[in-house]
Each structure stands twice: as C-alpha cells, then as structure tokens.
Amino acid sequence: MAVTESTAARPGRRTGRAASVTDEAIDKIRERIVTGSWGPGDRLPKESELAAELGLSRNSLREAVRALPHLQHAELRKGDGTYVSSLEPDLLLESTGFISHLLLGDTALDLYEVRRILEAAAAALAAARIDAEEKAGLGRSLERMRDAHTVEELVEADVAVHAIIAKAAGNAVLTSLLASLSTRTMRVRLWHGRAADDALDETREEHRRIYEAIVEGDPELARATATAHIASGERWLRSQIAAGGSA
C-alpha cells in the first residue's frame, strides 16, 4: 500500500513542506539500501516505478535522487540511470574530511580528543595484525621522517606513517575515519609549530616509539605511545588557542 507524504518538518531537519518531503524521500531510499533491498552497484528502478513504490510524487523523488550523489549513496550515470554507490567507508566518510578542515578553537580540540582515542586503537590493532610488508613500509617511512629537511618532507613522511598504521589495523571503517579526521592542513600547522618550538627531534622520537611497539607486537605499548604522541599535538594546539593563535 502506498505511503502518503508527510508535511511535518523533523527536528534538526530542513523546514518547509518541499524540504521535509524531499528528506522523507531520501530516508525511504536510504532505508532500501540499509535493508539490502538494493546493494552496491544496483540500478534504481525507473522514476515512475520508484515513485509509486515509495508513495511519493515524482517531483519529490526527483529532488531526492539528485541529492543522493552528494550524500555518496548513489552515482548518476549519464544516459543510463542512477546506481547505488560502492558504499565503501572511504566514500561514505568523504564529507567528514571537509568538515574537519573547518573546525577551529575548542572544536578542534574536540577533534584531537577523538583522534587520540582512534589513533591509539589503530596502533594497538596494528601491533597485533601488521604483516612483514607493512613493517618494512613503516620502517622506510620512519627513515624518511628522520632524514627530512623541510616541513613538507616531514608532513609527507608523517602522512605515510599514520596511513600504514591505520591500514595495518585491518579495519576499513577505522582507516577511513582516521583519514578523514587527520587533515593535511592540521599536520602542516603542527609540524610548523614543532619546528618553531625546536621540537622536531622530540616528535620524531614519538613516532619511533610507536614504530618499535608495533613491530615488537606489543598492543598495549603501541596504544600508550600513540596516545602520548597525539596528546603532545593536543597540548601544542591548546597552547596556540590560549595564546590567541589561529590553529
């Protein structure tokens, strides 16, 4: 039986009849994906069929379908219709990275707090799951960090080290979350700040401790060293905020 369109705006959602109906349409399409009615790569039914199935007007459905690619739920293939996206974590969490770039002040500190939890978890998992190839890659990236002469080179090595650890953790969602929360902009600011504080060697040493704990297969030591490393960056950010900096 067809479901009638609701005109009630939901708390925290866009207001107005057109907006609420479009949101409702998106929710109904998302429900089909979540329940497995449509899987990754499946083609959505024709507009007229889908509107009838969901109990929506074609105009409301059309607006919802247009929004799906922006939400990374679906992709529009010109001349071929709309398909459910791959639904891979890195795709679905893509917008988180954009938002992370905009966080400032106390909200940026909140982000660091989350990173401290997740980076520690990733390091602990990596210590238990890392393979020989990943150990070798981690060692090479650490050498690049040790030999780096510019902030740009340090940032490149830093990104590589944390990416290998996240991958070695063996959890695709955790890997994608860390990639979206650990923005390059913040890394550049942090390394410039550490350089200004004459603390580059200290930061390199923090990474070395994490590396040794992981290659030795000690999850709890890896967790502790990763926590200490992120906490160090967090302290720097707090000092910048307290001094009225723009970090």
Side-chain angles (χ1 to χ4, degrees), residues 151 189-203 232-240 243:
V151 167
R189 289 174 179 168
L190 176 60
W191 280 102
H192 273 296
R194 302 302 276 171
D197 293 343
D198 197 23
L200 292 182
D201 287 342
E202 178 185 337
T203 308
S232 176
E234 190 176 345
R235 285 194 298 274
W236 171 82
L237 180 58
R238 286 184 185 279
S239 68
Q240 291 296 298

Side-chain angles (χ1 to χ4, degrees), residues 10-212:
R10 302 180 184 184
R13 304 294 289 271
R14 293 172 293 175
T15 58
R17 174 177 168 75
S20 65
V21 171
T22 300
D23 286 337
E24 183 179 348
I26 292 172
D27 285 345
K28 289 181 177 181
I29 293 172
R30 184 186 288 125
E31 182 181 359
R32 293 294 195 280
I33 296 172
V34 171
T35 58
S37 298
W38 303 328
D42 284 352
R43 187 181 188 278
L44 270 60
K46 292 180 180 179
E47 185 179 279
S48 58
E49 297 174 5
L50 188 55
E53 179 184 340
L54 299 179
L56 299 166
S57 71
R58 294 180 66 169
N59 283 340
S60 297
L61 178 65
R62 194 173 297 123
E63 289 299 317
V65 170
R66 284 175 181 166
L68 292 177
H70 300 290
L71 299 173
Q72 309 297 0
H73 293 12
E75 57 178 299
L76 179 62
R77 300 179 188 174
K78 193 171 182 179
D80 192 29
T82 303
Y83 290 76
V84 178
S85 74
S86 67
L87 302 180
E88 290 294 327
D90 57 342
L91 179 66
L92 297 177
L93 293 169
E94 193 174 86
S95 60
T96 307
F98 174 75
I99 295 169
S100 298
H101 281 284
L102 304 178
L103 300 181
L104 300 170
D106 289 342
T107 312
L109 285 173
D110 289 343
L111 176 64
Y112 250 93
E113 191 171 85
V114 173
R115 273 196 63 203
R116 180 155 38 90
I117 296 167
L118 297 182
E119 294 274 9
L125 288 171
R129 299 174 177 177
I130 193 168
D131 60 29
E133 183 179 347
E134 289 166 334
K135 286 181 181 179
L138 192 57
R140 288 192 296 271
S141 295
L142 198 66
E143 288 177 8
R144 285 171 54 200
M145 182 180 291
R146 182 195 63 198
D147 297 337
H149 297 293
T150 67
V151 167
E152 183 62 29
E153 290 173 346
L154 285 166
V155 170
E156 290 296 333
D158 187 34
V159 168
V161 166
H162 286 277
I164 292 170
I165 293 172
K167 181 176 179 293
N171 184 306
V173 174
L174 179 57
T175 299
S176 298
L177 270 173
L178 286 172
S180 64
L181 295 177
S182 309
T183 68
R184 185 180 184 84
T185 300
M186 177 54 75
R187 290 186 191 280
V188 170
R189 289 174 179 168
L190 176 60
W191 280 102
H192 273 296
R194 302 302 276 171
D197 293 343
D198 197 23
L200 292 182
D201 287 342
E202 178 185 337
T203 308
R204 288 186 176 103
E205 179 65 14
E206 290 169 3
H207 286 86
R208 186 190 63 77
R209 292 188 189 119
I210 297 170
Y211 165 78
E212 289 184 349

